[in-house]
Amino acid sequence: MKAGIVGLPNVGKSTLFNCLSNAKAQSANFPFCTIEPNIGVVNVPDSRLQKLESLVNPERVQPATVEIVDIAGLVKGASKGEGLGNQFLGNIRETDAILHVLRCFENENIVHVDGSIDPIRDKETIDIELQLKDLETVDKKLEKVKRAAKTGNKEAQKEEAALLKLKEGLEAGKSVRAIEVSEDEHKEFVKPLQFITDKPVMYVCNVDEGSAVDGNKHVDRVREAVKDENAEVLVLAVGTEADITELDDFEERQMFLQDIGLEEPGSAKLIRGAYSLLNLQTYFTAGVKEVRAWTIPVGSTAPQAAGVIHTDFEKGFIRAEVISYEDFVGFGSEAKVKEAGKMKVEGKEYIVKDGDVMHFRFNV
């Protein structure tokens, strides 16, 4: 599962990516500096992992990860191939969620492609390009579906009705995620077309250091503009975060954060936000060899969760032994949880909960 960082050129995307992944993507003060998308595999910060480590004292610890893709800056006309348009839009289509970076800081030394700071205008520029690309997808599909609908094909007629709703919404400047369709229509006709504007989105307001805690007037405008979108807004001083990641010493980093009034790096919040945006959750395995966080989609069954470790675990699944994270920490060890009768034995229908500590029994 991948989250893609998008935005206009020079809003801080590559600096943010470097911050998240510690991969040093090229960042420079001119458009189209990033051409090929950079991909970073980022650890998901999770304090539960440290707690389990302290109780189990394993040989190694393996956190959950999420893939972050740094996509080159989009410009007006991208849907018509302007800039590196089609390539960028293709790269966005391949991601599962969007981290949309908006410039909410003033700095005369960093050029803005449109000459002034206006995050709402910038957001609309990107939205329009993505919506135009989705409209192209709807029109192509409608051409085929209309022919089948005319022959009296009931399924094609239902699909045509759903696509016409999307067409009308997109032409009115709405993103697919904001257009009302039924759950069945979404599952059958919308999801398979992988619309760019149907992907979940988080708006990352890139601010100066002084606005890192409370935001500023630009952030207030963004919050107001997206209040009906069911999207998260995160305030991040990307330049400052980059300075913090340059420090090797943990204590120094903590002091730096305290000085600007933050309890943890904003990048940690962003990674966790991307993880939940992708509808992912974590379960743990905890033994003396390894304490590990495993990533699964929300709603996974016990066999599906087992399959993440190895396909044989899913094929030959017999049962899962499950301890809630709270019980594991509360009793202090697996043995004490068992003594207290708090370990549950679950079958194939069990829906895994975030934080479950699990052992699988299987037979292949």
Side-chain angles (χ1 to χ4, degrees):
M1 300 289 273
K2 295 182 204 165
I5 301 176
V6 306
L8 291 177
N10 289 357
V11 295
K13 296 183 309 300
S14 293
T15 308
L16 174 61
F17 175 81
N18 290 339
C19 222
L20 296 176
S21 65
N22 285 334
K24 301 297 176 198
Q26 188 188 4
S27 62
N29 185 16
F30 55 89
F32 305 127
C33 174
T34 305
I35 295 173
E36 288 305 316
N38 294 298
I39 298 177
V41 178
V42 182
N43 289 340
V44 179
D46 193 332
S47 58
R48 296 174 300 182
L49 206 54
Q50 282 78 48
K51 187 68 187 166
L52 290 171
E53 182 187 6
S54 70
L55 294 171
V56 178
N57 199 18
E59 288 173 24
R60 61 180 178 271
V61 176
Q62 182 69 45
T65 58
V66 63
E67 243 178 59
I68 305 283
V69 187
D70 175 26
I71 294 163
L74 221 71
V75 292
K76 208 173 282 184
S79 56
K80 304 276 186 290
E82 288 296 320
L84 299 168
N86 291 328
Q87 190 181 337
F88 299 169
L89 292 162
N91 293 335
I92 296 169
R93 199 182 289 286
E94 285 164 21
T95 64
D96 304 286
I98 293 172
L99 306 172
H100 187 160
V101 182
L102 294 167
R103 179 169 168 179
C104 295
F105 67 89
E106 312 276 348
N107 185 335
E108 288 172 9
N109 298 320
I110 298 177
V111 295
H112 188 293
V113 284
D114 289 328
S116 62
I117 309 305
D118 184 345
I120 308 305
R121 176 202 59 211
D122 296 353
K123 173 190 172 311
E124 283 168 1
T125 298
I126 299 264
D127 283 351
I128 288 165
E129 295 309 321
L130 302 185
Q131 287 159 6
L132 285 170
K133 201 66 189 169
D134 280 349
L135 191 55
E136 207 178 278
T137 305
V138 170
D139 285 339
K140 274 184 193 162
K141 187 69 177 172
L142 260 174
E143 252 177 68
K144 291 179 189 168
V145 171
K146 275 180 172 170
R147 285 197 292 271
K150 274 179 187 163
T151 66
N153 180 315
K154 291 275 186 285
E155 197 57 23
Q157 287 169 351
K158 278 200 284 184
E159 184 166 9
E160 183 186 21
L163 291 171
L164 286 170
K165 277 187 217 173
L166 295 182
K167 183 175 168 66
E168 193 184 322
L170 285 162
E171 285 175 344
K174 285 184 180 179
S175 291
V176 171
R177 74 180 80 82
I179 298 167
E180 276 188 43
V181 291
S182 73
E183 215 170 289
D184 287 346
E185 285 174 324
H186 190 273
K187 192 176 166 186
E188 282 182 62
F189 310 126
V190 180
K191 203 162 188 267
L193 291 174
Q194 290 185 297
F195 291 109
I196 299 172
T197 65
D198 192 36
K199 296 179 192 295
V201 65
M202 177 196 286
Y203 293 100
V204 182
C205 294
N206 183 9
V207 298
D208 57 274
E209 189 176 307
S211 308
V213 178
D214 299 318
N216 56 26
K217 62 178 184 183
H218 297 306
V219 175
D220 293 340
R221 289 182 63 220
V222 172
R223 285 198 174 112
E224 180 59 28
V226 307
K227 68 177 191 292
D228 298 329
E229 276 192 44
N230 192 23
E232 198 177 330
V233 175
L234 186 77
V235 178
L236 207 62
V238 174
T240 307
E241 295 274 338
D243 292 341
I244 293 170
T245 46
E246 292 295 326
L247 300 170
D248 294 324
D249 185 66
F250 176 76
E251 316 286 301
E252 275 186 62
R253 285 204 296 269
Q254 290 307 108
M255 279 167 63
F256 197 143
L257 286 166
Q258 280 165 11
D259 284 349
I260 57 173
L262 294 174
E263 287 173 24
E264 65 171 349
S267 52
K269 282 185 198 160
L270 187 138
I271 296 163
R272 284 200 299 272
Y275 196 70
S276 72
L277 207 58
L278 291 163
N279 204 31
L280 299 174
Q281 65 179 22
T282 300
Y283 77 87
F284 301 103
T285 49
V288 287
K289 285 271 181 212
E290 180 182 71
V291 165
R292 181 165 184 161
W294 298 90
T295 300
I296 52 170
V298 172
S300 296
T301 61
Q304 286 167 336
V308 174
I309 300 176
H310 198 288
T311 50
D312 284 353
F313 281 34
E314 184 170 2
K315 282 180 201 154
F317 179 90
I318 299 169
R319 65 177 185 272
E321 294 167 358
V322 184
I323 301 170
S324 75
Y325 169 77
E326 288 74 19
D327 283 343
F328 200 107
V329 171
F331 288 97
S333 74
E334 186 178 319
K336 284 180 182 164
V337 171
K338 283 180 180 172
E339 270 172 41
K342 290 286 188 179
M343 190 183 82
K344 294 178 291 183
V345 175
E346 302 286 0
K348 291 182 177 179
E349 305 303 312
Y350 178 68
I351 304 295
V352 179
K353 296 180 182 66
D354 186 58
D356 278 349
V357 182
M358 305 184 79
H359 282 304
F360 299 103
R361 302 291 174 206
F362 69 101
N363 184 20
V364 176

